[in-house]
Amino acid sequence: MPPPLPLLLLTVLVVAAARPGCEFERNPAATCVDLQLRTCSDAAYNHTTFPNLLQHRSWEVVEASSEYILLSVLHQLLEGQCNPDLRLLGCAVLAPRCEGGWVRRPCRHICEGLREVCQPAFDAIDMAWPYFLDCHRYFTREDEGCYDPLEKLRGGLEADEALPSGLPPTFIRFSHHSYAQMVRVLRRTASRCAHVARTYSIGRSFDGRELLVIEFSSRPGQHELMEPEVKLIGNIHGNEVAGREMLIYLAQYLCSEYLLGNPRIQRLLNTTRIHLLPSMNPDGYEVAAAEGAGYNGWTSGRQNAQNLDLNRNFPDLTSEYYRLAETRGARSDHIPIPQHYWWGGPGDKGNHEVDADHTLCALSQPSWGRPGGVLPLRLLQAPPGGEDVFSHARREEGAPSSAQTCPAWWGPDELMQGEPFACLTHQEPLPKMFKLLSRAYADVHPMMMDRSENRCGGNFLKRGSIINGADWYSFTGGMSDFNYLHTNCFEITVELGCVKFPPEEALYILWQHNKESLLNFVETVHRGIKGVVTDKFGKPVKNARISVKGIRHDITTAPDGDYWRLLPPGIHIVIAQAPGYAKVIKKVIIPARMKRAGRVDFILQPLGMGPKNFIHGLRRTGPHDPLGGASSLGEATEPDPLRARRQPSADGSKPWWWSYFTSLSTHRPRWLLKY
């Protein structure tokens, strides 16, 4: 028998009272399940429910929906703007937060704030604001118990790591950092920007200090297809501390500016994977710091705890290069580390098996950050101290630094009688690339461009404050030569000043001088070409060689088959080859003003099969990855559907991105059309 009406009303009131603020919405038709959507895997919660707020009733329905497809490509569509913020906002609708059978809705004010900032990005590609991000329909008010779907992105600080009272979280303290202080700052920074940053260790120093790296990426800890990677290393000599402090400040700056919505920094972090190692020699730093700024001697703390100069203790691949040069057809790149380096013998430089710092340099860097494989790093910068000058690789075209038969640019392209190597002209492609990288830093550095010859580094003024390292001085066992001869890395060294351990009051000025140069340098990693090498079945080809005619330094593909080739503007003949496959050759034209890498894919045919090898222009992006970067390189280039920006059509035809969505789903997302 049903209860009398007053009792029923009382029951309703009791249930309402048990839900203060209407914090949760009960969905009795579903229970909480694990969150399994890959695009939403980094949400701030682990459980969701079905049906979701759009009435999708299973994972399969969600993943096949146009709404989910849109979330997965927002990064490319908006060129890094408003991401991952918008993606997480959409995940809060497609995979709502579920706690104990109750569904929580995201906050309306978060949605409204993002729409105000991100609407221009949608307008730029002629796309309507997505209906499922309707701030009034799917989001709720704070007084109704909403939650912030970006809470993990905003991050939180441990109580013992909080900044002093009254200071904003964006505050940067321009001071010297002890090892413990550096670790706290890096970890606090990664905590604040947990969505785009993480810290990890690549080993320990001889005295047991962690060699801590902070990484910035849209997906920290993962290499994304065709995303270029950069590592910046400081303090290789313990008493050269300016680079160490600049990288600590850079980490804080990137985090703060990303959270503040700086479009340049958001675009950079969303399209680039950046690794910062502020201190490669923390043991030496502590020795130098004990003497203090202004009192430090020229050599105190330079070496590590084993009294080894880390920038003279890398494998001597220069000698290996000369040995291989005597063999016709021998490669001058990706030279393996000789066995005697580890086990003693000719050229042995010391007790390597107990040298922790050295083991880091020789072993960890080629595979830095990528368990079981090679991290496809493309660019490396090592800022020490000494002079205001930019020193690029100590050889061109693979020639090692000890060969100095030519006064300026030189390499092993053509042998000349009486000389082991011939001089190169300034028009060779690789010297131009190194000069371009060097200019990217020096040309926006106020001191390096100062015309006074009496300043620090003034003796390099006539060279434009950049120099080929071998023209300055020569040595073996350096990190620059090792990376160039053993890996895909192009390494640049920046000398940040004439004082190795500057006083604290000089650090802010140093940061102001170097901030724009650091950003500009990292952005140059997007020059050249990128692509994927696959076989005829679309399977990635690992360790395929990407060669450029006239440059005797190849790069190799990553396990996913992707590559990134730094190249200057001009016409290039690019060859892809791998054992068991016929080589494929393409002619590529890089316009002078093009600052974003163009995409050049290669499909390799087994030997004895396939069409003619020489193909003009770029292949149209294949169905296996329709979201890669497109370019305007070469003749007969066809733009990729989600990277080529176009103006809204005036004749009422569908926008350029429409065909992509209709090709992937039977549901035509007309809600994305503005008219």
Side-chain angles (χ1 to χ4, degrees), residues 553-622:
H553 187 274
D554 300 348
I555 57 99
T556 55
T557 56
D560 294 330
D562 58 326
Y563 75 92
W564 197 287
R565 176 82 210 201
L566 292 170
L567 283 174
I571 301 174
H572 303 281
I573 303 300
V574 184
I575 305 111
Q577 54 191 319
Y581 297 93
K583 66 173 62 175
V584 176
I585 306 172
K586 295 188 178 185
K587 177 182 178 182
V588 174
I589 302 174
I590 302 180
R593 295 186 178 182
M594 183 173 171
K595 295 185 178 181
R596 310 297 293 182
R599 182 164 178 179
V600 184
D601 288 347
F602 293 90
I603 299 178
L604 302 187
Q605 301 288 342
L607 286 173
M609 299 178 60
K612 295 180 180 180
N613 289 336
F614 193 86
I615 305 174
H616 288 278
L618 305 182
R619 180 181 67 83
R620 183 172 182 171
T621 303

Side-chain angles (χ1 to χ4, degrees), residues 192-269:
R192 286 185 59 226
C193 288
H195 224 78
V196 291
R198 68 169 183 132
T199 57
Y200 64 92
S201 173
I202 57 172
R204 290 186 178 274
S205 69
F206 186 77
D207 281 347
R209 295 181 175 90
E210 274 195 314
L211 298 158
L212 195 66
V213 177
I214 184 167
E215 171 196 342
F216 291 92
S217 170
S218 57
R219 290 186 179 273
Q222 302 178 38
H223 169 65
E224 297 186 67
L225 196 71
M226 291 183 295
E227 181 176 72
E229 308 212 4
V230 184
K231 58 179 177 180
L232 278 68
I233 299 174
N235 206 205
I236 189 171
H237 292 141
N239 64 338
E240 296 174 353
V241 307
R244 170 192 175 106
E245 297 302 335
M246 294 306 105
L247 295 187
I248 294 173
Y249 305 156
L250 178 63
Q252 297 173 82
Y253 177 81
L254 292 175
C255 173
S256 295
E257 292 300 303
Y258 187 93
L259 294 181
L260 291 172
N262 183 323
R264 180 187 186 187
I265 301 305
Q266 287 194 338
R267 186 179 302 110
L268 181 63
L269 268 56

Side-chain angles (χ1 to χ4, degrees), residues 107-241:
C107 291
R108 183 174 298 160
H109 74 278
I110 300 295
C111 175
E112 291 172 339
L114 273 181
R115 178 160 189 175
E116 181 179 356
V117 172
C118 302
Q119 182 69 62
F122 282 87
D123 293 340
I125 60 172
D126 202 21
M127 179 179 284
W129 185 260
Y131 81 93
F132 63 95
L133 298 183
D134 185 322
C135 301
H136 291 275
R137 183 174 180 183
Y138 298 108
F139 299 78
T140 192
R141 301 191 307 270
E142 288 186 87
D143 60 0
E144 294 177 338
C146 68
Y147 78 96
D148 181 0
L150 309 182
E151 59 185 325
K152 190 175 179 181
L153 171 62
R154 306 307 179 199
L157 298 181
E158 302 264 342
D160 60 344
E161 293 185 354
L163 289 168
S165 176
L167 292 178
T170 56
F171 178 79
I172 297 177
R173 189 186 301 277
F174 293 99
S175 62
H176 289 291
H177 293 78
S178 68
Y179 173 76
Q181 290 169 338
M182 177 187 72
V183 169
R184 282 198 295 270
V185 167
L186 295 182
R187 288 181 173 161
R188 184 181 67 219
T189 300
S191 176
R192 286 185 59 226
C193 288
H195 224 78
V196 291
R198 68 169 183 132
T199 57
Y200 64 92
S201 173
I202 57 172
R204 290 186 178 274
S205 69
F206 186 77
D207 281 347
R209 295 181 175 90
E210 274 195 314
L211 298 158
L212 195 66
V213 177
I214 184 167
E215 171 196 342
F216 291 92
S217 170
S218 57
R219 290 186 179 273
Q222 302 178 38
H223 169 65
E224 297 186 67
L225 196 71
M226 291 183 295
E227 181 176 72
E229 308 212 4
V230 184
K231 58 179 177 180
L232 278 68
I233 299 174
N235 206 205
I236 189 171
H237 292 141
N239 64 338
E240 296 174 353
V241 307

